[in-house]
């Protein structure tokens, strides 16, 4: 059938997302995207848009995929904020340990590249970081944690640092040690109320 797409958009977006995640925006060419997705350049442009549009779609796909997992982890924060935050970090640690995906975090990687990105992509990266902090703030506020704002900012920063450390080669044991320091501080604050 002429004019009918002969590919699964979700599969193609996943392939493009992994390519951007592995190499970053600047180091991913249209030829790289073509190899990763199996589509030629004209199919990429006509079906998925230019490189910026495709990157934004991949960034959104990533945020939705992992955002739901973070929301689920934090859903019990009002009953047990320490357990919920530990589960929040487990989402990141599980993603880092997953051999099917690249090390690090696409959002953190994007944020670090903001100086060379288009304003739309830079804005979306900042927004994604803000969403993560807001989700933590809401969970800690619901749990009536003292200084929920400060803990939310700290825990969001630690979560992004786990991605950066993993990209730099840190192992699971080192990453878990970082998590334990933050969870321990939260536990002390909660037990002191």
């Amino acid at each position: 059938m002429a004019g009918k797409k002969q590919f699964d958009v979700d599969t193609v977006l996943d392939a493009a997302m992994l390519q951007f995640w592995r190499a970053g925006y600047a180091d991913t060419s249209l030829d790289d995207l073509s190899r990763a997705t199996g589509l030629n350049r004209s199919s990429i442009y006509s079906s998925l848009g230019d490189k910026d549009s495709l990157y934004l779609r991949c960034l959104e796909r990533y945020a939705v995929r992992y955002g739901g997992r973070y929301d689920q982890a934090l859903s019990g924060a009002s009953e047990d904020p320490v357990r919920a935050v530990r589960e929040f970090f487990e989402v990141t640690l599980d993603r880092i340990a997953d051999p099917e995906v690249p090390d690090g975090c696409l959002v953190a990687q994007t944020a670090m590249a903001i100086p060379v990105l288009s304003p739309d992509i830079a804005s979306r990266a900042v927004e994604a970081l803000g969403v993560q902090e807001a989700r933590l703030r809401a969970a800690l506020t619901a749990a009536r944690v003292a200084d929920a704002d400060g803990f939310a900012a700290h825990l969001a920063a630690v979560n992004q640092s786990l991605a950066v450390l993993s990209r730099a080669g840190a192992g699971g044991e080192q990453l878990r040690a970082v998590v334990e320091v933050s969870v321990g501080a939260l536990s002390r604050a909660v037990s002191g109320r």
Side-chain angles (χ1 to χ4, degrees), residues 65-152:
R65 178 171 294 159
Y66 292 104
R69 294 175 191 176
Y70 288 124
D71 289 338
Q72 178 63 35
L74 292 170
S75 65
S78 60
E79 294 86 37
D80 188 346
V82 174
R83 188 191 83 239
V85 167
R86 187 178 301 283
E87 289 175 8
F88 170 86
F89 281 126
E90 283 301 320
V91 171
T92 299
L93 295 173
D94 288 348
R95 185 192 68 233
I96 288 168
D98 185 348
E100 300 295 316
V101 298
D103 288 332
C105 166
L106 185 60
V107 172
Q109 184 176 320
T110 304
M112 290 185 294
I114 281 176
V116 298
L117 298 175
S118 73
D120 286 344
I121 294 173
S123 173
R124 181 60 188 108
V126 169
E127 179 185 324
L129 291 171
V131 165
Q132 187 169 84
E133 186 174 331
R135 112 181 349 117
L136 283 158
R137 183 180 307 105
L140 297 174
T141 299
R144 296 191 172 129
V145 171
D147 193 17
D149 290 344
F151 268 109

Side-chain angles (χ1 to χ4, degrees), residues 151 154-155 175-188:
F151 268 109
H154 170 80
L155 296 170
L175 299 175
R176 287 193 181 281
V178 170
V179 166
E180 287 309 313
V181 170
S182 293
V183 171
L186 178 63
S187 181
R188 286 186 296 280

